[in-house]
Amino acid sequence: MLTASTVDLSNCDREPIHIPGSIQPHGCLLACDPGVTVIRRYSANATSMLRTEGELKGRQVADLLGEDATHDLRNAIAQAPDASRPAVIAHLRLPNGDHFDIAVHRQQDGAILEFEPSLRRTQPLQLAREMIGRVKDIADIDLLISSSAKLVRTVLGYDRVMIYRFEDDGSGKVASEAKRADLESFLGQYFPASDIPRQARILYMQNPIRVISDASGTRVPLLPQDDEARQPLDLSFAHLRSVSPIHCEYLRNMGVAASMSISIIVDDKLWGLIACHHYAPKTLTMSERIAAEMFGEFFSLHLLSLRQKRKLDITTEARRALDRFLQSASHQTDVDQILASALPEFQKLLACDGVGLWMKDRWTAIGTVPPQGEEEALAAFVSRNSEGRIWGTKSLSTDFPEADYPEVVSGVLSVPLSQIPRDYLFFFRKERLQTLNWAGNPEKTYEVGPLGDRLTPRKSFAIWKETVRHQAEGWREADFEIAEAIRSATVEIVLRHNELMQEERSKADIRQRMLNEELNHRVKNILAVIKSLVAAPGQEEVPIEHYIGSLRGRIHALSHAHDQLTRGGGGGSLSDLLQAELLPYRAGLNTLTLTGGTVTLDARAHAVAALVIHELCTNAAKYGALSRPGGALTVEWQRTADDDCLIRWNESGGPAIGPIGRKGFGTALIERSIPYDLGGTSHLDYKPEGLAAEFCIPGRFLSWETPAIAEELPPVQDAQPTGQSQPLQAGLPVLLVEDQVLIAMDAEMMLADAGIENVVTASSSTDALNRLKSFRPAIAILDINLGRDTSVPVAEELARLGIPFVFATGYDDRSIVPEGFADVPVVRKPYDSVALLKALSDRLQGR
């Protein structure tokens, strides 16, 4: 029993509110076996409410409720496998003539039936539609929140409706309120996190609607009491679950007699509550509760969409402002003066009270900033702790005790202006309490309850004020995104003015515009090619795995072509392209011969040729000379009188070619790509002994050198005598270090397909090193370039621990491999399942 000497807000976190052993009195409850056959447990008021007599435990449900009602209940619970969404039967008539609204759900190894007297038949769907229709077109978050509070009060008739929003630290704020005219306002008031304890928040996520019909009402116990004492019934999803006496005291001390809350869940997190208070006992019908729950779900989704839109609008406007800043800065020479004069513009981009610039040991600031003389120490602290990244805190005095000015500045967001931690742009926020407006009469007191006066709104607010001293409003995700955009813009300005001389400025602007146009053109082209590859119609009988394999191979061909042109000044050698595509087929007895002059293809021709040659290799490996030992392939190219390049592809020794039926996408790509994209020619002759193909690439895409080459590529022996790597052991623990989430997910799925599901993923070297403290992988995959850092520290730690690893990179050569790790295998990105698994297997066997 809780006493006045033991009750405080910390009791809430220890109270088992999901197994109270009792229900609220406005309904009754039966707990049955899963088949709704025999009653196991029941509420003490069930006999009177259902107008029956005697012991209910062990009785047949059909004897009590009738065969028809029992049949309906069994059908309902079969359609409600998720306990968080009970099935509802409205206005069900029992044999005694009474009507009940009944909610049924599975719980543990049984079923729970909740009965509430039904006075009238209502339509929850119609009510929900009307409520949703009033707010669905609202496009502003603040208007949505304020309008919804008024709407809920109007429809459901509560004396006060508040929309209560949770802060990052768990505390809450009344963001909107609709109330009776004579009631005091709580609008804008804060409450500590302890007012809604942890296990209550969990239940709010599981059961999105909670009704208290009478805060002074009796608690109806569950029977038999011996069974309840031995194994309490979990009522987490029961609407009738009785209420914590601590929470009831809190309501009574406010003068509240009845309440209802609707959970607002955004991105699978409890964003807040729609909290309804009534100053006399009040019970909602089950249909009204269902309508309120449906409205709450729509409100959550609508709020999420508006939050995303607001975030996008803010970010877009910030980038437009930064673009204007970059345009004006490009015509000035003094970078210090550029940034100092832009401080008012920077202050508009973020919600802050002041902005400061620490650059070349000089300080410029506007608004509320640290006291004069404190800026150097602050810059030094940030340099030591931010690791050259954007860094923020809402409690500077806690993180940096030397900052003995929390009443002036408590929140700091620092943006580095160069790769070397030295110069920073600072955004400051005041202590939150300085900007707080008290809602209502601060002198008003409340009736003291039997457990003392600790549990009242004023006491909660006083506790909150004490816990948030020396804290500012926290920096949100959108703030960091804007800060990242500012960092990109300012770093560009700093680098530009540090590296380019004044007389080169106009030329650099022109080059930049041309580069942007060329980049835009190339990106659009490559996206168009990929789109055509993905959307290309295929034969219906082709298995999906074959389609995926073909698509992956074509994208790898484009990837190789891209690497060649970026390393080769915009193009690549035809010989290098052929050798790279034919490399996987050099094992065994196949004879591959390349003959031709030294010719370089420009970017456009190289990309087209890469796709065509990849398709030729794939077809040869499936159906032609490369599909079995003894096959031979000869590729010859020569310079014509018009400086064009004539390429001849001849296969022999493969399976005999029969009649060619319907042509697939790959064949169409081979035949049409060079004529369509380059204005050249293509001809394919399917001879019985093998394919003979001829292509002509126009000379305007080529650069010739005079020497010719003739090379027969020797077979390559596999590392394993069997010609295959050993399969990886299922359940093998793997560490994956990858900063791009989509690439990481792709690699995880490839490993999972091979039975390797014990994969721990880290997005940075710091994250990976922390995970190695508690996780011991058998092997690791390290993306070399992690954006802002590299995986070298992880590689060094793995080497020290004796754990094998492979590198992964999107670069086409090994120049990116760190010194000291020249013997470590490199897996190319985008990942290929076979290549990745083989690299891991070979590395493990090598160890």
Side-chain angles (χ1 to χ4, degrees), residues 199-233:
Q199 81 272 29
R201 294 172 191 251
I202 294 174
L203 289 179
Y204 280 130
M205 290 288 293
Q206 294 176 339
N207 199 344
I209 191 163
R210 183 74 170 119
V211 173
I212 301 173
S213 60
D214 189 350
S216 300
T218 58
R219 296 159 64 91
V220 181
L222 297 180
L223 301 177
Q225 292 184 343
D226 291 342
D227 293 351
E228 185 65 21
R230 184 173 59 255
Q231 185 178 3
L233 186 64

Side-chain angles (χ1 to χ4, degrees), residues 496-563:
R496 180 184 299 172
H497 286 78
N498 285 345
E499 296 175 1
L500 300 179
M501 298 178 63
Q502 176 63 25
E503 58 268 22
E504 292 293 326
R505 193 174 307 279
S506 59
K507 296 180 182 179
D509 289 342
I510 296 174
R511 287 196 297 269
Q512 185 64 44
R513 285 195 297 271
M514 293 177 63
L515 177 61
N516 287 342
E517 291 294 332
E518 177 64 18
L519 178 61
N520 183 50
H521 175 72
R522 292 187 182 184
V523 169
K524 286 183 178 179
N525 280 347
I526 201 71
L527 288 176
V529 171
I530 292 176
K531 179 180 177 182
S532 68
L533 295 180
V534 173
Q539 300 176 11
E540 293 182 357
E541 64 271 13
V542 176
I544 185 63
E545 58 269 18
H546 291 178
Y547 167 77
I548 294 173
S550 299
L551 177 61
R552 183 174 291 149
R554 291 163 183 165
I555 293 176
H556 270 283
L558 284 177
S559 174
H560 173 77
H562 175 74
D563 289 335

Side-chain angles (χ1 to χ4, degrees), residues 230-299:
R230 184 173 59 255
Q231 185 178 3
L233 186 64
D234 188 342
L235 299 180
S236 296
F237 300 101
H239 287 291
L240 292 175
R241 172 171 49 87
S242 64
V243 186
S244 158
I246 299 178
H247 183 58
C248 285
E249 179 201 352
Y250 183 88
L251 293 176
R252 290 194 301 270
N253 285 355
M254 296 171 64
V256 175
S259 73
M260 180 187 72
S261 65
I262 306 171
S263 301
I264 303 172
I265 300 172
V266 177
D267 281 336
D268 295 324
K269 295 180 181 178
L270 188 62
W271 181 91
L273 300 170
I274 301 176
C276 306
H277 288 173
H278 205 65
Y279 292 85
K282 179 179 176 64
T283 301
L284 288 185
T285 66
M286 191 174 292
S287 295
E288 289 173 324
R289 290 205 306 270
I290 294 171
E293 182 178 354
M294 294 172 65
F295 175 77
E297 291 182 348
F298 174 82
F299 179 90

Side-chain angles (χ1 to χ4, degrees), residues 151-198:
L151 176 64
V152 172
R153 179 170 184 263
T154 300
V155 173
L156 300 182
Y158 281 92
D159 291 332
R160 184 198 305 269
V161 175
M162 299 172 289
I163 294 187
Y164 183 89
R165 186 193 70 212
F166 292 122
E167 302 291 324
D168 294 335
D169 60 2
S171 64
K173 178 185 180 181
V174 179
S176 175
E177 180 183 56
K179 65 180 183 65
R180 221 172 58 196
D182 60 317
L183 295 177
E184 156 189 19
S185 175
F186 293 147
L187 182 62
Q189 184 167 329
Y190 285 83
F191 300 91
S194 56
D195 268 24
I196 301 180
R198 179 182 57 82

Side-chain angles (χ1 to χ4, degrees), residues 400-578:
F400 182 41
E402 289 84 346
D404 190 22
Y405 40 85
E407 292 80 7
V408 179
V409 166
S410 289
V412 176
L413 185 66
S414 65
V415 181
L417 301 181
S418 63
Q419 297 297 329
I420 302 174
R422 182 187 61 186
D423 302 328
Y424 293 93
L425 183 65
F426 292 99
F427 296 87
F428 300 104
R429 283 179 177 171
K430 297 179 182 178
E431 184 184 29
R432 190 192 303 191
L433 291 180
Q434 298 180 43
T435 59
L436 184 69
N437 292 321
W438 173 259
N441 178 9
E443 305 301 327
K444 181 173 179 178
T445 60
Y446 291 86
E447 179 184 352
V448 175
L451 300 179
D453 66 345
R454 283 159 290 205
L455 303 175
T456 67
R458 298 301 180 206
K459 289 294 182 181
S460 292
F461 187 79
I463 292 171
W464 178 84
K465 285 175 60 177
E466 188 62 33
T467 58
V468 301
R469 287 187 60 81
H470 300 169
Q471 291 186 23
E473 291 283 349
W475 303 99
R476 301 184 181 273
E477 181 183 353
D479 298 325
F480 280 92
E481 290 186 357
I482 294 174
E484 179 60 37
I486 293 172
R487 187 199 66 81
S488 300
T490 52
V491 167
E492 181 178 346
I493 290 295
V494 171
L495 292 178
R496 180 184 299 172
H497 286 78
N498 285 345
E499 296 175 1
L500 300 179
M501 298 178 63
Q502 176 63 25
E503 58 268 22
E504 292 293 326
R505 193 174 307 279
S506 59
K507 296 180 182 179
D509 289 342
I510 296 174
R511 287 196 297 269
Q512 185 64 44
R513 285 195 297 271
M514 293 177 63
L515 177 61
N516 287 342
E517 291 294 332
E518 177 64 18
L519 178 61
N520 183 50
H521 175 72
R522 292 187 182 184
V523 169
K524 286 183 178 179
N525 280 347
I526 201 71
L527 288 176
V529 171
I530 292 176
K531 179 180 177 182
S532 68
L533 295 180
V534 173
Q539 300 176 11
E540 293 182 357
E541 64 271 13
V542 176
I544 185 63
E545 58 269 18
H546 291 178
Y547 167 77
I548 294 173
S550 299
L551 177 61
R552 183 174 291 149
R554 291 163 183 165
I555 293 176
H556 270 283
L558 284 177
S559 174
H560 173 77
H562 175 74
D563 289 335
Q564 290 288 331
L565 67 90
T566 53
R567 294 188 310 146
S573 164
L574 176 60
S575 175
D576 290 344
L577 177 59
L578 285 164

Side-chain angles (χ1 to χ4, degrees), residues 745-793:
M745 291 169 61
D746 189 33
E748 288 173 357
M749 287 189 288
M750 292 178 184
L751 295 171
D753 290 341
I756 302 172
E757 298 183 348
N758 187 11
V759 179
V760 171
T761 304
S763 60
S764 66
S765 59
T766 301
D767 187 14
L769 292 173
N770 287 333
R771 292 181 180 274
L772 283 174
K773 295 177 182 177
S774 58
F775 175 71
R776 183 80 176 196
I779 194 168
I781 306 167
L782 309 182
D783 182 12
I784 299 177
N785 190 341
L786 298 175
R788 295 176 179 173
D789 64 350
T790 69
S791 60
V792 172

